[in-house]
Amino acid sequence: MELKTIKENLTFPIRARKYGVGVDGFMSYANSTFTHEGRLRCPCVKSVNNKLLDPNDVKYHLLQYGIVHNYSTLVFHGESVDQVSASISTEPVIEKETLTHMDMPQLN
């Protein structure tokens, strides 16, 4: 399964079938990031990539608690920042100007 599809599936509610498919895809994708003890960082809401757990426990946590919402680049699970950079538009970002009270017309 393509990484983009895995990420999209992980945005569904926990009880949705597509979320479960996303978890299975995530577990397959993250397979290469197991430690030498066979553990994996758990990206669930409860562990927030701070705990190394058995893969079965990681899967259980993801199905029970959900994946951390801001974990869009799977840096702890094999995705490089370069992969993400290549898929992001290269258009320049134009920030909005903030008006100060000096820029505001006086109301009389």
Side-chain angles (χ1 to χ4, degrees):
M1 180 182 307
E2 189 177 308
L3 185 57
K4 180 181 176 188
T5 305
I6 292 169
K7 289 179 179 184
E8 287 172 1
N9 287 341
L10 290 172
T11 64
F12 282 87
I14 293 174
R15 303 292 175 232
R17 184 183 167 291
K18 282 193 172 189
Y19 179 81
V21 171
V23 169
D24 289 338
F26 170 82
M27 295 304 295
S28 294
Y29 181 81
N31 187 33
S32 65
T33 63
F34 292 165
T35 66
H36 64 279
E37 292 102 16
R39 295 186 176 269
L40 179 67
R41 286 190 181 270
C42 184
C44 81
V45 172
K46 187 176 178 181
S47 300
V48 197
N49 283 313
N50 289 319
K51 292 183 181 178
L52 290 170
L53 302 175
D54 179 81
N56 292 326
D57 292 333
V58 171
K59 184 173 181 175
Y60 173 80
H61 275 215
L62 289 173
L63 293 171
Q64 188 68 28
Y65 307 117
I67 193 163
V68 130
H69 298 290
N70 63 352
Y71 191 45
S72 56
T73 305
L74 308 178
V75 293
F76 293 112
H77 298 93
E79 184 178 16
S80 72
V81 177
D82 293 337
Q83 285 175 282
V84 176
S85 300
S87 66
I88 296 175
S89 171
T90 56
E91 291 183 29
V93 175
I94 301 171
E95 295 183 19
K96 289 184 181 179
E97 292 182 26
T98 304
L99 297 176
T100 65
H101 70 282
M102 298 298 285
D103 298 324
M104 303 287 287
Q106 295 297 320
L107 297 176
N108 292 327

